Amino acid sequence: MKEKVLNYIKANRLIDYGDKIVVGLSGGPDSVCLLHILCSLRDDLNITIYTAHVNHMIRGEEAFRDEEYSKKLAESLGVEHFNLRVKVEEFAKENKMTSEEAGRFIRYKFFDEVLNKVGANKIALAHNMNDNAETILMNLIRGTGTLGLVGIPNKRDGKYIRPIMCLTRDEIEEYCKVNGLNPQIDSTNRESIYTRNKVRLELIPYIKENFNSNIIESLNRLSEIIKYEEEFLQGFVDDIINSHYKDKRFSISIFNKQHVAIKRRIIRRIIEIVIGKISGIEQKHIDECIELIHKAETGKYLVLPHNIVCKIEYDNFMIDVKSDEITEYEYKINIPGVTYIPELNSKIYTNVLENLNNIKYNTFIKYFDYDKIGNDIVVRSRRQGDYIVLSGIRGKKKLKDFFIDKKVPRDERQRIPLVAKGSEVVWIIGMRDNCLYKVSSETKRILEIRFERGAENE
Amino acid sequence: MKEKVLNYIKANRLIDYGDKIVVGLSGGPDSVCLLHILCSLRDDLNITIYTAHVNHMIRGEEAFRDEEYSKKLAESLGVEHFNLRVKVEEFAKENKMTSEEAGRFIRYKFFDEVLNKVGANKIALAHNMNDNAETILMNLIRGTGTLGLVGIPNKRDGKYIRPIMCLTRDEIEEYCKVNGLNPQIDSTNRESIYTRNKVRLELIPYIKENFNSNIIESLNRLSEIIKYEEEFLQGFVDDIINSHYKDKRFSISIFNKQHVAIKRRIIRRIIEIVIGKISGIEQKHIDECIELIHKAETGKYLVLPHNIVCKIEYDNFMIDVKSDEITEYEYKINIPGVTYIPELNSKIYTNVLENLNNIKYNTFIKYFDYDKIGNDIVVRSRRQGDYIVLSGIRGKKKLKDFFIDKKVPRDERQRIPLVAKGSEVVWIIGMRDNCLYKVSSETKRILEIRFERGAENE
């Protein structure tokens, strides 16, 4: 088993020699097996292991039993352990999240904090082959594109790794048994209430019994094939976008020369660039855009969900967010935490980091010097007198002038959310940030601000 | 409903103005609905409809009831009708096929015969959205690559079309009811015996009830997306193969520059070219080839199923069929019908056609002048004294010299099957055919011969 995981780690380059790895430890069989195997590979891979456990304060006594077990296990393996207790349900209520969403948010945030505190560079999560097969089946059943068939990635952002995605649940339980690990069982897992549990406890056993006893392996093989095809197609489309997408515009003649599969991906990718996500956009919307661009009649346009407009402009088409009248709004940003903006149906997520080892590049995530920016910031619509300080320019620049320079149409300006301190704009979200608050060599604490549109639960 | 089918036909270019279409009519709801809708579109599309029914002589009285119903329905719609009675189970036994396989073979053959007789150019089949969803789920459950998720194609070879693939089974039943068509129900369909029926009668209803009542539509949408991505990827890979695959060899340096998803497809495509199919080859075999080519050590090789060898030769790699000692064999070819060659685990399929309107291009299918070639032909291994007559050469050419000219290694020669009349070779399968039997302007009846390797039931 250890050998199998080691081969999987090498084949997928999950761990580099000398990595410092925080293992998310719930106390259940998966994370216990993951921790035990990684510990047994410490010498082979020259890695340092840390563990992080979150007590969600939901399942009463059981939660404290898991907390205690995790602490002791880490100790017995000679691993530095970190523990957090959070009342997840209260947090969820305060931040208008489901308790599942809140739990995930808190866990990932805590793992990040531990990573920063100990100077680690990776976070190991304990998803297995069954989890992956369940995800694929759930996506398939709910109705997905090819991306949903990719399943759970075994690494993400060069930071999150899933080294036991090559093991089935049976193998993991066997491993725990053979090694006398005695992991804790989460009693809520055994009830057929939620979709995943229904897939796990009813659908997959039915398929195993009636059709294919190797369904878990089959689905994982499929996901492995599709993962690489997705990667190739995304790279292929990104190359096209990088060459031909400028100022929110794309050449109609070049677009119309592409294969329909590529046309669809170009449209999806542009929408993703414009609003930061693709959910809520259906295939028929994409195909309507393709039809519109095929006809190429200047001035014609289409309105898609999330107020996205696809418009023909002479030789180009443009996809952008439609400028409806938006009432003025202002909300204090919770740090760290989540801030909901009902006017935009969007959310602001913030996080405090100690270093920039693992930042994401994206026009909807920015990093600031937390000590300079302070706690007193809001997200709001623009107002008269707004200004920003930009690098390369002496003094302040009026926000209005910025929009004029950037040729942002008047009716679009109201839709662009701002992070601000009084009249000073800190971040014109999706466009530009204030140079006074940038992270520098003197920065001690970093504030990560992430904006997400259409943040309804999906 | 009629409107929906018409839009689907137009969007997918299934029917051209003036087409002559043979409708496969079983008497069940699907084919009855298909026939009725196509008849109602006769004026709009300027098409002529014919119907063909096969009585499989399996379900006793019920089969004759269906035969009678189909005949009367065609009559009432003013359609020329053709009927065939075949004892499918006897045919299956004689030809070592399953009765399902035999039924399909006989049906398609009869549809083809009717098409040739009446001078039609298309055959319409009555698969629906549910059939497609079932196929996708079955493929997924059995373990498939992306191709299995494409599902049932709505057209194939410019000849077979499936115009009601846009309707669900419920819509079809509703249509039959509203139009008082009273289709016949096949009683075997209602039993949960076979995989497809189990998927249809148990799995899909379970998914509908518990997860997604629109599962049929969801799976069809997925299939539509993947269909185009497959088409793009296949075209992309075919372009690479056409540029870089010569004399069974492919440049290692060009191969190693490709994305792994493309490498996998190149290997699969070459295997398909070499043996005419890809089934039986697993992902791990493909990945082993990729690894071998990555290392590029001259002389190293791998043996895959079906005796396929992947070998490194300096700057190129080569994929070919390994030359084991094969005992001599000879089998009379059944015309029309199937001939099994146990030594190669292969089959020869033959068919008599009246025109070449709908031929397939493939090195494993050839068309001959049936009246010149006659019934007395065999498939066999090579023998001393074998010769062939080739265009551009006066007189006979010894088979041995042909192999020497083509640089076919001595040990491979024994593996190449021949279609022969005495010592005269009619077709060196996969390589070259005798010019004396080619189809010409004087040909009255055409003999189609198709060779298929690894013809075990799949």
Side-chain angles (χ1 to χ4, degrees), chain A residues 431-445:
Chain A
M431 300 193 75
R432 193 72 181 266
D433 54 329
N434 189 315
C435 69
L436 295 182
Y437 304 103
K438 278 192 191 296
V439 173
S440 72
S441 58
E442 272 127 55
T443 302
K444 291 201 184 72
R445 294 183 303 160

Side-chain angles (χ1 to χ4, degrees), chain A residues 224-243:
Chain A
E224 212 264 349
I225 292 172
I226 293 186
K227 179 176 80 180
Y228 286 111
E229 304 221 314
E230 262 306 304
E231 193 181 281
F232 167 74
L233 285 166
Q234 284 177 13
F236 188 86
V237 167
D238 280 349
D239 287 348
I240 295 176
I241 297 260
N242 289 338
S243 306

Side-chain angles (χ1 to χ4, degrees), chain A residues 292-336:
Chain A
L292 181 84
I293 299 165
H294 176 71
K295 289 185 183 155
E297 298 170 45
T298 286
K300 287 275 169 78
Y301 67 95
L302 264 175
V303 183
L304 313 184
H306 306 310
N307 268 314
I308 295 162
V309 178
C310 177
K311 200 158 88 184
I312 305 296
E313 281 186 355
Y314 307 100
D315 298 337
N316 298 302
F317 69 88
M318 189 183 83
I319 292 179
D320 209 346
V321 176
K322 195 181 153 198
S323 40
D324 271 0
E325 270 312 300
I326 294 257
T327 50
E328 289 194 9
Y329 60 89
E330 174 175 322
Y331 299 96
K332 187 171 184 326
I333 293 178
N334 299 320
I335 304 174

Side-chain angles (χ1 to χ4, degrees), chain B residues 172-187:
Chain B
I172 288 167
E173 282 171 5
E174 179 64 20
Y175 181 92
C176 288
K177 206 170 158 188
V178 167
N179 290 282
L181 295 174
N182 201 23
Q184 306 302 298
I185 307 300
D186 178 346
S187 62

